[in-house]
Amino acid sequence: MRKGLRQSTNASRAWQRMLSGRRLDLLDPSPMDIEIEDIAHGLARVARWNGQTIGEHAFSVAQHSVVVEEIVAHIQPDIEPRWRLAALLHDASEYVIGDMISPFKAALGVDYKTFEERLEGAIHIRFGLPAKTPALIKKLIKRADRACAFFDAPPPGYNLHIEPQPPAVAQVRYVQRYNVLSEAAGYTSLPSAFDTE
């Protein structure tokens, strides 16, 4: 019996080939088909706020995720490294599905949320985290995520600014941050799946 969203085995193709060579089934994602390099590569090329940010480059989801992890550590300095890793990975599913603004996600309904949660669960399992983030940690990450929104696209009258990074820089920083946090959490290092740059 299949656990995913796939209704039948003869359904149309619902997988994506990644640069690592992995083939990710979007309706029934396996943790073994997920690589941090694929995530970093994708997130570095996904624009926050549908590209409605200031600067030469779009503010990428990869750069946003690194900032959110830093904010989590600032809010709660004694937080365990694995939860900082969860903060870094909080938008990791967007490497496949893109960064949809919350009102659009709500308009798509429950099926979209279920899809996103399944992918997030597979990502978490792949990197040694529980499939579901504990409620208190999720709330802390959401608080940091909201704070970061002021850096992504500050409201009129606010003078907060982070220079958006080129995709290659955001990708490298994301993988570096993952490696630091993964090691600090005591997880075994994985060999690189591929080198894109």
Side-chain angles (χ1 to χ4, degrees):
M1 178 176 185
R2 299 189 66 84
K3 296 183 218 168
L5 299 175
R6 188 179 301 282
Q7 299 299 316
S8 74
T9 55
N10 10 340
S12 61
R13 181 185 101 125
W15 55 268
Q16 179 177 345
R17 174 84 55 199
M18 301 296 161
L19 287 177
S20 64
R22 299 281 189 188
R23 190 175 103 162
L24 182 65
D25 184 332
L26 302 175
L27 299 179
D28 193 19
S30 167
M32 298 314 296
D33 292 329
I34 296 168
E35 299 291 348
I36 196 64
E37 293 84 2
D38 288 326
I39 292 171
H41 184 82
L43 294 184
R45 287 154 179 78
V46 173
R48 293 274 298 158
W49 304 100
N50 294 321
Q52 299 300 308
T53 57
I54 297 169
E56 184 178 338
H57 304 281
F59 192 81
S60 72
V61 175
Q63 186 176 2
H64 161 81
S65 297
V66 170
V67 173
V68 167
E69 182 267 322
E70 291 170 357
I71 294 171
V72 164
H74 178 77
I75 294 170
Q76 190 172 329
D78 62 341
I79 192 166
E80 292 178 50
R82 67 182 176 149
W83 302 132
R84 288 180 69 171
L85 180 58
L88 181 71
L89 295 170
H90 82 281
D91 280 339
S93 63
E94 294 177 9
Y95 88 106
V96 174
I97 59 178
D99 181 36
M100 289 192 226
I101 58 174
S102 295
F104 189 64
K105 286 180 184 179
L108 291 175
V110 175
D111 286 344
Y112 176 83
K113 193 68 180 161
T114 301
F115 175 79
E116 186 177 40
E117 287 171 356
R118 288 194 50 73
L119 186 53
E120 183 180 278
I123 291 166
H124 282 199
I125 290 167
R126 174 67 170 110
F127 300 113
L129 297 169
K132 284 194 164 271
T133 304
L136 287 175
I137 299 299
K138 199 162 190 85
K139 185 176 178 181
L140 173 64
I141 293 169
K142 192 62 177 169
R143 181 177 167 200
D145 193 34
R146 284 191 187 113
C148 188
F150 286 103
F151 293 107
D152 293 358
Y158 280 72
N159 191 16
L160 302 171
H161 183 71
I162 293 178
E163 190 65 37
Q165 300 168 334
V169 173
Q171 178 176 337
V172 167
R173 288 206 56 223
Y174 189 91
V175 172
Q176 287 172 340
R177 203 65 206 132
Y178 165 80
N179 288 332
V180 166
L181 294 171
S182 186
E183 184 179 322
Y187 301 137
T188 306
S189 293
L190 301 171
S192 291
F194 66 97
D195 183 21
T196 60
E197 304 302 327

